[in-house]
Amino acid sequence: MENMYKIEIVLGSLHTEALLEILNKKGISGYTIIPHVKGKGDRVEYDGLGLNDAFSNNYIIIVVDEEILQKVKEPIRNFLSKYGGACIISDCLWLKQ
Amino acid sequence: MENMYKIEIVLGSLHTEALLEILNKKGISGYTIIPHVKGKGDRVEYDGLGLNDAFSNNYIIIVVDEEILQKVKEPIRNFLSKYGGACIISDCLWLKQ
Amino acid sequence: MENMYKIEIVLGSLHTEALLEILNKKGISGYTIIPHVKGKGDRVEYDGLGLNDAFSNNYIIIVVDEEILQKVKEPIRNFLSKYGGACIISDCLWLKQ
Amino acid sequence: MQLDVLVNNLLSAPVLFFFLGLIAVLAKSDLEIPQPVSRFFSIYLLFTIGIKGGEELAHSQWNAEVFLSLLLAVFMSAGVPLYAYFFLRRKFNSYDSAAIAATYGSISVVTFISAVAFLKEVNLDFGGHMVAAMTLMESPALIVSLFILKNTIKSDSAESKVSWAKLLHESLVNSSVFLILGSLFVGIVASEKSHNELAPFTEGLFKGFLALFLLDMGIVAAKRISALAKGGVFLISFAIILPLINASIAIILSYFLGISHGNAFLLAVLSASASYIAVPAAVRLTIPEANPGLFVPMALAITFPFNITLGIPLYYFITQALWT
Amino acid sequence: MQLDVLVNNLLSAPVLFFFLGLIAVLAKSDLEIPQPVSRFFSIYLLFTIGIKGGEELAHSQWNAEVFLSLLLAVFMSAGVPLYAYFFLRRKFNSYDSAAIAATYGSISVVTFISAVAFLKEVNLDFGGHMVAAMTLMESPALIVSLFILKNTIKSDSAESKVSWAKLLHESLVNSSVFLILGSLFVGIVASEKSHNELAPFTEGLFKGFLALFLLDMGIVAAKRISALAKGGVFLISFAIILPLINASIAIILSYFLGISHGNAFLLAVLSASASYIAVPAAVRLTIPEANPGLFVPMALAITFPFNITLGIPLYYFITQALWT
Amino acid sequence: MQLDVLVNNLLSAPVLFFFLGLIAVLAKSDLEIPQPVSRFFSIYLLFTIGIKGGEELAHSQWNAEVFLSLLLAVFMSAGVPLYAYFFLRRKFNSYDSAAIAATYGSISVVTFISAVAFLKEVNLDFGGHMVAAMTLMESPALIVSLFILKNTIKSDSAESKVSWAKLLHESLVNSSVFLILGSLFVGIVASEKSHNELAPFTEGLFKGFLALFLLDMGIVAAKRISALAKGGVFLISFAIILPLINASIAIILSYFLGISHGNAFLLAVLSASASYIAVPAAVRLTIPEANPGLFVPMALAITFPFNITLGIPLYYFITQALWT
Ligand SMILES: Nc1ncnc2c1ncn2[C@@H]1O[C@H](COP(=O)(O)O)[C@@H](O)[C@H]1O
Ligand SMILES: Nc1ncnc2c1ncn2[C@@H]1O[C@H](COP(=O)(O)O)[C@@H](O)[C@H]1O
Ligand SMILES: Nc1ncnc2c1ncn2[C@@H]1O[C@H](COP(=O)(O)O)[C@@H](O)[C@H]1O
Ligand code: NA
Ligand code: NA
Ligand code: NA
């Protein structure tokens, strides 16, 4: 088992691709996306309702080591400040196969 | 970055609105809902199957500070003891924009 | 409140039943499944796209105590090494009803 | 000839697809209908029943028999829980008893549809107001059951919070009732041209979507049936005997009130049917203490298949004997 | 007779279902259309409009009037943001103004469908190329709005990144435009036999799916309407006045360009309509600073219902007065 | 005239929508069919094929040719993996070879549908039992492939666990097979009246849903195609040559067994087709070591489009030359 960091990002569905492109360039080894997530924060409510994806969030989970964490922190912050969304970081153990 | 607490609640879909109403009154600043979640605990299995939402869970994530955490703990406990569901709490860092 | 461990597993949808069967035998008290999750790791991309479930992940959350954690760690590792997937473990507090 | 009617009913495509769904689960097939698709089927069915019901309502005469049958509908929905609850209390706690009573006082839309298809098969007329009668039966049972529950258990903090205004409101706007009522209204005001334009959708596709919806119901019924094991023989007998009692009462009352054959038959079927969609959802909210592993599978996995296979022909034979 | 037309329009099944959706939310019903089902409805509608539009296009004559009306379509979509933006800037910041301007320059497919149904009701002809005209109006407004935005705000790092090539590309391949264009193409090349085979799907089901889609739109419109409260009277008046201005300009220009009655009416409706599906999604990507709580509900909850209830008959009366 | 047949096939609405789906992804459009909607399409198609196949089966004669063609169907499905596996082992490891062999021994329902539509276009008869033949071909290939795999690799702990009983069971109840078999059964026992009532659903909507399903397949195929890059020319040639070999063997055997023209053609198409829904799912479970980035895109993105565009006319020309 390895000590890692778990980054969780809630982000408008339409912006996910752009963020992942940035993070892939920084060297993340993988990601998990839970689509069709609803939520409410400071901005408009994301009720996940019909017609288009403009009001639907993705929940993105990225497990990284300390080094990558430091590399991606700022880009995520910048991205979210432009496009909205929330991000939390916590410790975890990665069960290596 | 700020030290915060992450509250995760698994709750029957039909009861989510009522719980959020209670928590909004206690001053939470936002929430995220993952709908159509399945699960099994002590009570009936939530298989998420058709017809209605009576057998489908929501996964609710709420990031709060220490003060709000203390305010919402008891209301959540009471609510879950009446309507079923599970709740876990953990530390996290909130990446401020 | 009780100190517990949160096990999070990302696993191909088709393999979930088999893993849960194994873990139920080890004595887990419940589980939560978020279906239709997308992701990318070392293996093929899970884009969650149509036709069948072969390219769709489940996100499985299992809260356990220390004793069960020790019992399930190896079985999970073995299972994932055969069928792919990822697993992380973290601390949490279980809000007892 | 009577056997013919029974066999034809059993071999109709929708009934067969219900059993196909049951078998799928028992044979451990991975066949599943995704929830949004299942919702689409039920939206389609409610929409269509409303539109067609509205069309028929617009053309139907309003006479004493119509009012009597609407009244009897409400009476049955409100009355069933009254005796069912006390019957159930011998084996179950108050919460489960109230939940099951509410379930059996209310109705099943698909059972009603099967009964209407059956009537068309045997060429028996019925009133255009019967869809309205069905809608009227959706909610009274839950209200009565909650009333009984509140008055039999010592009202402590939690239970005393039942808000009757909220409950009445909820019973009018819950999605099934609202969609049928709304479509009924559109069906009433829509022009004949409008109905003709909608017909390929509402009439043309009806049997197909009904068959697929029943496939789904069969799957869900089979998945829930294991939860019944604990309830044992009592539960299963109850889930068959209560419909028989309810149907009998509806038939007797219809007979003495002079209600026509077709309408009496439909009232019997409605009284015998139990809700497995709208009421269970409402019960989860209003009686969270009740075990959904009881009231849902009883209605869905025992009473529903009983009614659409044996119950409907049986109620028909009884009414036929009395009315002709 | 003129009142008849208005009333018939208000009592058509799709319009009634839109209001049913509104009422569902206002009455706090839990009626909801799951998102995948909602997508299915819109895929069906775009597919059908494309196929039928292609069939008509294949049979239509290409003359000067056709080219003029296509040109006017693009002109209106590109022109509306030019005056709308500066009008809006009096009350809103640059981002919101550009977003709203893009929304109103673009079009609403369902409004167009309602207008076509209306034309059939009043027996007025229109050109087979009008679906193409509609498609041409989807994107210019966003491009023009972004252009204005970029030139009015001091271009700092973020904004200067607008890639026009990417934007043009995006405006051709966004899912709505792509599906209509593709289906249009299939509709053009498909044989008559093919069209006949598709007819039960495309023609038979159209009204039914349209009614269900409008039910969904009503629900979503009502859920978003509360966000408008902050904007107040100005916002709501704007959402009605701008369509009237746009329709008037389209009518006047059509008149002087010698465009036929039916086509002029459709161009008026298209100009008056505002996008609430494709453009809002594109605006979220290109102008993330704009508040979606403004431009979506304005188009969906005010302009759309205004157009399909009062706007369409009104534009028809005006064109009728001018053309006959 | 032969070119006509080819061109007509290429310009049929479903084929065009497959290419539209491909182009959508290549042009980076965001057009996507939500998974539940995609499931609904395939449930509809399997339901309809089963019902219609059952109807035809009920009316078809059982003679020696019918039994021979059913036998040949099973023989082809079981036989293909036998030679395909050893051919594949030259380039791939045992796991991937077995997975690809299973994929190509099994069949594609949509390819079969396209072939049936083609037969109707060219007015050639075929037997009502061919849907049954198709269903029989779903599973043998996987069983044979697993058998080969188990006997060629040194059986260590994991692999030796293959439970043949479980596998046989699984191959009968996997959702596609189960739904077709069940619908086939309902189609056989349903009355003519029942079939007529279902016809607007099963027949009326077929082409429309098929076109939308192919749009989805085109999108998924294009998204998966990049994974093929590593396999290179060998993979792509294999995905075209193997179908040609399989079809040729099926044609030769059919010819010598005296199978009729239409049935021989369908057996050739079935043998040439490869599974991209049912078998890939089963392979993920039974051969988790195999790379799904190989066997899925080969079947879906190369073999499927090859068959429905060029393969079907080609197999037809060959059989036509031999049979007439
Ligand atoms: N305190 C919170 N707890 C959980 N989720 C949050 C919280 N605040 C914001 N979010 C999520 O982040 C999304 C974007 O937040 P915002 O940009 O503040 O509107 C919301 O739609 C929520 O899903
Ligand atoms: N040990 C556990 N780990 C993860 N989820 C759980 C656990 N126990 C219960 N749950 C979730 O909480 C829901 C309600 O639990 P219960 O009220 O105990 O039936 C279940 O349907 C599960 O989704
Ligand atoms: N670093 C990571 N962070 C988050 N999720 C991951 C990560 N690596 C892998 N995953 C998830 O685990 C699944 C299986 O991983 P793998 O077996 O490595 O392809 C992927 O589809 C992702 O959903
Ligand atoms: Na009843
Ligand atoms: Na416009
Ligand atoms: Na094959």
Side-chain angles (χ1 to χ4, degrees):
Chain A
M1 293 214 291
E2 232 172 299
N3 281 306
M4 302 282 272
Y5 295 90
K6 178 178 161 198
I7 307 176
E8 291 162 273
I9 302 168
V10 193
L11 181 64
S13 305
L14 299 170
H15 307 303
T16 303
E17 217 182 301
L19 177 63
L20 286 178
E21 210 173 294
I22 294 171
L23 300 185
N24 274 326
K25 281 186 196 142
K26 300 283 169 194
I28 60 168
S29 72
Y31 56 82
T32 295
I33 302 173
I34 304 175
H36 307 303
V37 167
K38 312 177 195 183
K40 178 136 188 45
D42 304 332
R43 311 190 196 205
V44 74
E45 181 177 348
Y46 281 69
D47 55 15
L49 275 181
L51 309 182
N52 64 24
D53 264 340
F55 292 87
S56 168
N57 278 323
N58 277 337
Y59 200 89
I60 309 167
I61 297 148
I62 308 169
V63 182
V64 296
D65 59 23
E66 170 84 48
E67 187 200 329
I68 301 281
L69 176 65
Q70 297 311 331
K71 276 196 201 157
V72 297
K73 240 158 55 179
E74 276 319 297
I76 292 174
R77 193 199 306 270
N78 290 338
F79 193 91
L80 297 190
S81 76
K82 185 163 164 76
Y83 293 103
C87 175
I88 56 178
I89 297 166
S90 53
D91 302 326
C92 68
L93 288 170
W94 178 281
L95 192 72
K96 275 276 155 186
Q97 296 167 19
Chain B
M1 294 212 293
E2 232 173 296
N3 281 307
M4 302 282 273
Y5 295 90
K6 179 178 160 198
I7 307 176
E8 291 162 273
I9 302 168
V10 193
L11 181 65
S13 304
L14 298 170
H15 307 303
T16 303
E17 216 181 302
L19 176 63
L20 286 178
E21 210 173 292
I22 294 171
L23 300 185
N24 274 327
K25 281 187 197 141
K26 300 282 169 194
I28 61 168
S29 72
Y31 55 81
T32 296
I33 302 173
I34 304 175
H36 306 305
V37 168
K38 313 177 195 182
K40 177 135 190 44
D42 305 332
R43 311 190 195 203
V44 74
E45 181 177 350
Y46 281 69
D47 56 14
L49 276 182
L51 309 181
N52 64 25
D53 264 342
F55 293 87
S56 167
N57 278 324
N58 276 338
Y59 200 89
I60 308 167
I61 297 148
I62 308 170
V63 182
V64 295
D65 58 23
E66 170 85 47
E67 187 199 329
I68 302 280
L69 177 65
Q70 296 311 332
K71 276 194 200 158
V72 296
K73 239 158 54 178
E74 276 319 297
I76 292 175
R77 193 199 304 271
N78 290 338
F79 194 91
L80 297 190
S81 75
K82 183 162 164 76
Y83 293 103
C87 174
I88 56 178
I89 297 165
S90 54
D91 302 327
C92 68
L93 288 170
W94 178 282
L95 192 72
K96 276 275 155 187
Q97 296 168 19
Chain C
M1 292 214 291
E2 230 173 299
N3 282 306
M4 302 282 272
Y5 295 90
K6 178 178 160 199
I7 307 175
E8 291 162 274
I9 302 168
V10 194
L11 181 65
S13 304
L14 299 169
H15 307 303
T16 303
E17 217 182 300
L19 177 62
L20 286 178
E21 211 173 292
I22 295 172
L23 300 184
N24 274 327
K25 281 186 197 143
K26 300 283 168 194
I28 61 168
S29 71
Y31 55 82
T32 296
I33 302 173
I34 304 174
H36 306 305
V37 167
K38 312 177 194 183
K40 178 138 187 42
D42 304 332
R43 311 190 197 205
V44 74
E45 181 176 349
Y46 280 68
D47 55 14
L49 275 181
L51 310 181
N52 64 25
D53 264 340
F55 292 87
S56 167
N57 278 324
N58 277 338
Y59 200 89
I60 308 167
I61 297 148
I62 307 170
V63 181
V64 295
D65 58 24
E66 170 84 47
E67 187 200 330
I68 301 281
L69 176 65
Q70 297 310 331
K71 275 196 199 156
V72 297
K73 240 158 54 180
E74 277 318 299
I76 292 174
R77 194 199 304 271
N78 290 337
F79 194 91
L80 297 190
S81 75
K82 184 162 164 75
Y83 293 101
C87 175
I88 56 179
I89 297 166
S90 53
D91 301 328
C92 67
L93 288 170
W94 178 280
L95 193 73
K96 276 276 155 187
Q97 296 167 18
Chain D
M1 198 214 98
Q2 300 212 326
L3 200 68
D4 262 40
V5 171
L6 181 63
V7 169
N8 276 343
N9 192 50
L10 285 172
L11 288 185
S12 83
V15 172
L16 289 172
F17 271 98
F18 180 81
F19 286 105
L20 205 62
L22 284 182
I23 295 169
V25 176
L26 300 180
K28 295 191 188 302
S29 167
D30 59 335
L31 183 62
E32 239 182 59
I33 311 289
Q35 213 210 26
V37 177
S38 166
R39 286 292 171 85
F40 171 51
F41 296 160
S42 73
I43 289 169
Y44 169 83
L45 291 176
L46 296 171
F47 171 89
T48 295
I49 294 157
I51 295 276
K52 303 300 300 170
E55 190 181 12
E56 278 162 26
L57 203 56
H59 294 137
S60 68
Q61 305 277 38
W62 285 85
N63 56 31
E65 196 239 333
V66 167
F67 283 105
L68 277 178
S69 49
L70 293 178
L71 221 71
L72 182 54
V74 178
F75 180 84
M76 286 306 300
S77 176
V80 164
L82 287 173
Y83 52 86
Y85 178 83
F86 296 99
F87 187 23
L88 286 155
R89 277 295 281 121
R90 293 155 164 253
K91 283 275 180 179
F92 298 106
N93 65 37
S94 306
Y95 302 113
D96 287 336
S97 301
I100 301 175
T103 303
Y104 280 83
S106 183
I107 53 90
S108 143
V109 174
V110 179
T111 309
F112 177 77
I113 292 171
S114 306
V116 166
F118 183 91
L119 280 187
K120 285 191 181 147
E121 208 69 34
V122 299
N123 272 313
L124 183 59
D125 268 359
F126 63 94
H129 64 287
M130 289 308 291
V131 170
M134 175 187 72
T135 314
L136 285 174
M137 293 180 76
E138 287 262 15
S139 309
L142 177 61
I143 297 177
V144 171
S145 300
L146 282 171
F147 190 81
I148 303 172
L149 181 64
K150 213 199 144 187
N151 284 289
T152 49
I153 55 169
K154 291 294 144 266
S155 51
D156 63 330
S157 59
E159 276 65 45
S160 57
K161 274 184 201 154
V162 172
S163 148
W164 298 104
K166 205 174 158 188
L167 198 65
L168 257 170
H169 168 257
E170 162 71 23
S171 70
L172 277 172
V173 302
N174 96 58
S175 57
S176 306
V177 173
F178 189 89
L179 187 50
I180 284 207
L181 279 182
S183 306
L184 205 61
F185 173 76
V186 176
I188 291 171
V189 303
S191 64
E192 206 189 307
K193 187 157 167 286
S194 244
H195 279 294
N196 289 341
E197 285 173 349
L198 284 170
F201 188 72
T202 51
E203 289 171 23
L205 309 189
F206 194 69
K207 280 284 160 82
F209 276 127
L210 183 61
L212 287 177
F213 188 67
L214 275 159
L215 173 67
D216 189 25
M217 282 183 61
I219 294 171
V220 179
K223 296 224 173 177
R224 302 273 153 80
I225 213 167
S226 63
L228 282 186
K230 295 168 218 160
V233 181
F234 176 82
L235 250 179
I236 292 167
S237 341
F238 181 87
I240 290 172
I241 293 169
L242 190 60
L244 291 175
I245 297 175
N246 296 350
S248 307
I249 296 180
I251 289 172
I252 294 166
L253 291 176
S254 296
Y255 189 76
F256 287 110
L257 289 170
I259 287 168
S260 79
H261 186 185
N263 296 350
F265 166 75
L266 288 179
L267 284 170
V269 172
L270 286 170
S271 305
S273 77
S275 174
Y276 41 80
I277 301 185
V279 170
V283 166
R284 296 302 299 262
L285 282 171
T286 49
I287 321 177
E289 300 85 354
N291 177 4
L294 290 178
F295 57 89
V296 176
M298 279 175 74
L300 184 56
I302 312 287
T303 304
F304 173 73
F306 171 74
N307 275 329
I308 60 162
T309 56
L310 304 176
I312 285 178
L314 182 66
Y315 311 142
Y316 174 69
F317 294 139
I318 298 175
T319 53
Q320 204 188 22
L322 283 167
W323 263 258
T324 55
Chain E
M1 198 214 98
Q2 300 213 326
L3 200 68
D4 262 40
V5 171
L6 182 63
V7 170
N8 275 343
N9 192 50
L10 285 173
L11 288 185
S12 83
V15 172
L16 289 173
F17 271 97
F18 180 81
F19 287 104
L20 205 61
L22 285 181
I23 295 168
V25 176
L26 300 180
K28 295 190 188 301
S29 167
D30 60 335
L31 183 62
E32 237 181 60
I33 312 289
Q35 213 211 26
V37 177
S38 166
R39 286 291 171 86
F40 171 50
F41 296 160
S42 72
I43 289 169
Y44 169 82
L45 292 176
L46 296 171
F47 172 89
T48 295
I49 294 158
I51 295 277
K52 303 300 300 170
E55 190 180 12
E56 278 163 27
L57 202 56
H59 294 137
S60 69
Q61 306 276 38
W62 285 86
N63 55 31
E65 196 239 333
V66 167
F67 283 104
L68 277 178
S69 48
L70 293 178
L71 220 72
L72 182 54
V74 177
F75 180 83
M76 285 306 299
S77 176
V80 165
L82 287 173
Y83 53 86
Y85 178 83
F86 296 99
F87 187 21
L88 285 154
R89 277 296 280 120
R90 293 155 164 254
K91 284 274 180 179
F92 298 106
N93 65 37
S94 306
Y95 302 114
D96 287 335
S97 301
I100 301 176
T103 303
Y104 279 83
S106 184
I107 54 90
S108 143
V109 174
V110 179
T111 309
F112 177 77
I113 292 171
S114 306
V116 166
F118 183 91
L119 279 188
K120 287 190 180 147
E121 208 70 34
V122 299
N123 272 313
L124 184 58
D125 269 359
F126 62 94
H129 63 288
M130 289 309 291
V131 170
M134 175 187 73
T135 313
L136 285 175
M137 292 180 75
E138 287 262 15
S139 309
L142 177 61
I143 297 176
V144 170
S145 300
L146 283 170
F147 189 82
I148 303 172
L149 182 63
K150 213 198 144 187
N151 284 287
T152 50
I153 55 169
K154 290 293 145 267
S155 51
D156 64 330
S157 59
E159 277 65 45
S160 57
K161 274 184 199 154
V162 171
S163 149
W164 298 103
K166 204 174 159 187
L167 197 65
L168 258 169
H169 168 257
E170 162 70 23
S171 69
L172 277 172
V173 301
N174 96 57
S175 58
S176 306
V177 173
F178 189 89
L179 187 51
I180 285 207
L181 279 181
S183 306
L184 206 59
F185 173 77
V186 176
I188 292 171
V189 303
S191 64
E192 207 188 306
K193 186 158 169 285
S194 243
H195 279 292
N196 289 340
E197 285 173 349
L198 285 170
F201 187 72
T202 51
E203 289 171 23
L205 309 188
F206 194 69
K207 279 284 159 82
F209 276 126
L210 182 61
L212 288 177
F213 188 67
L214 274 160
L215 174 66
D216 188 26
M217 281 183 61
I219 293 171
V220 178
K223 296 225 172 174
R224 302 273 153 79
I225 213 166
S226 64
L228 282 185
K230 296 167 217 161
V233 180
F234 176 82
L235 250 179
I236 292 168
S237 340
F238 181 86
I240 290 172
I241 294 169
L242 190 60
L244 291 175
I245 298 175
N246 296 349
S248 306
I249 298 180
I251 289 172
I252 294 167
L253 291 177
S254 297
Y255 189 75
F256 287 110
L257 289 169
I259 287 167
S260 79
H261 186 184
N263 296 349
F265 165 76
L266 288 178
L267 283 170
V269 172
L270 286 171
S271 304
S273 77
S275 174
Y276 40 78
I277 301 186
V279 170
V283 165
R284 297 301 300 261
L285 282 170
T286 48
I287 320 177
E289 300 85 353
N291 176 4
L294 291 177
F295 57 89
V296 177
M298 279 174 75
L300 183 57
I302 311 288
T303 304
F304 173 73
F306 171 75
N307 274 329
I308 61 162
T309 55
L310 304 177
I312 285 178
L314 182 66
Y315 311 142
Y316 173 70
F317 294 140
I318 299 174
T319 53
Q320 205 187 22
L322 284 168
W323 262 257
T324 53
Chain F
M1 198 214 97
Q2 300 214 326
L3 199 68
D4 262 41
V5 171
L6 182 65
V7 169
N8 275 343
N9 191 51
L10 286 172
L11 288 185
S12 83
V15 172
L16 289 173
F17 271 97
F18 180 81
F19 287 105
L20 205 61
L22 285 181
I23 295 168
V25 176
L26 300 180
K28 294 190 188 302
S29 168
D30 59 336
L31 182 62
E32 238 181 61
I33 312 289
Q35 213 211 27
V37 177
S38 166
R39 286 291 171 86
F40 170 50
F41 296 161
S42 72
I43 289 168
Y44 169 83
L45 291 176
L46 296 171
F47 172 89
T48 295
I49 295 157
I51 295 277
K52 303 299 302 170
E55 190 181 12
E56 278 162 27
L57 202 56
H59 294 137
S60 68
Q61 306 276 40
W62 285 85
N63 55 30
E65 196 239 333
V66 167
F67 282 104
L68 276 178
S69 48
L70 292 179
L71 220 71
L72 181 55
V74 177
F75 180 83
M76 286 305 300
S77 176
V80 164
L82 287 173
Y83 53 85
Y85 178 83
F86 296 98
F87 187 24
L88 285 154
R89 277 295 281 120
R90 293 155 164 254
K91 284 274 181 180
F92 299 106
N93 65 37
S94 306
Y95 302 113
D96 287 336
S97 301
I100 301 175
T103 303
Y104 280 84
S106 183
I107 53 88
S108 143
V109 174
V110 179
T111 309
F112 177 77
I113 292 171
S114 306
V116 165
F118 183 90
L119 280 187
K120 285 190 180 146
E121 208 69 34
V122 299
N123 272 313
L124 184 58
D125 269 359
F126 63 94
H129 63 287
M130 289 309 291
V131 171
M134 174 187 73
T135 315
L136 285 174
M137 292 180 77
E138 287 261 17
S139 310
L142 178 60
I143 298 176
V144 171
S145 300
L146 282 171
F147 189 81
I148 303 172
L149 182 64
K150 214 200 143 187
N151 283 288
T152 50
I153 55 168
K154 289 296 144 266
S155 50
D156 63 329
S157 58
E159 276 65 46
S160 57
K161 274 184 201 153
V162 171
S163 149
W164 297 103
K166 205 173 159 189
L167 197 66
L168 258 169
H169 167 258
E170 162 71 23
S171 70
L172 277 173
V173 302
N174 95 57
S175 58
S176 306
V177 173
F178 189 89
L179 187 49
I180 284 207
L181 279 181
S183 305
L184 206 60
F185 173 77
V186 176
I188 292 172
V189 302
S191 64
E192 207 189 308
K193 186 158 168 285
S194 245
H195 279 293
N196 288 341
E197 285 173 349
L198 285 170
F201 188 72
T202 51
E203 288 170 24
L205 309 188
F206 195 68
K207 280 285 159 82
F209 276 127
L210 183 61
L212 287 177
F213 188 67
L214 275 159
L215 173 66
D216 189 25
M217 281 183 61
I219 293 171
V220 179
K223 296 225 173 177
R224 302 273 153 81
I225 213 167
S226 64
L228 282 186
K230 296 166 216 159
V233 181
F234 176 81
L235 251 179
I236 292 168
S237 337
F238 181 87
I240 289 172
I241 293 169
L242 190 60
L244 291 176
I245 297 175
N246 297 348
S248 305
I249 296 180
I251 289 172
I252 293 167
L253 292 177
S254 296
Y255 190 75
F256 286 111
L257 289 171
I259 287 167
S260 80
H261 186 183
N263 295 350
F265 165 75
L266 288 178
L267 283 170
V269 172
L270 286 170
S271 304
S273 77
S275 174
Y276 41 79
I277 302 185
V279 170
V283 166
R284 296 303 298 262
L285 282 170
T286 49
I287 322 177
E289 300 86 353
N291 176 4
L294 290 178
F295 57 89
V296 177
M298 278 174 75
L300 183 56
I302 312 287
T303 303
F304 173 73
F306 170 75
N307 275 330
I308 61 162
T309 55
L310 304 177
I312 285 178
L314 182 66
Y315 312 142
Y316 173 70
F317 294 140
I318 298 175
T319 53
Q320 204 188 22
L322 284 168
W323 262 258
T324 55

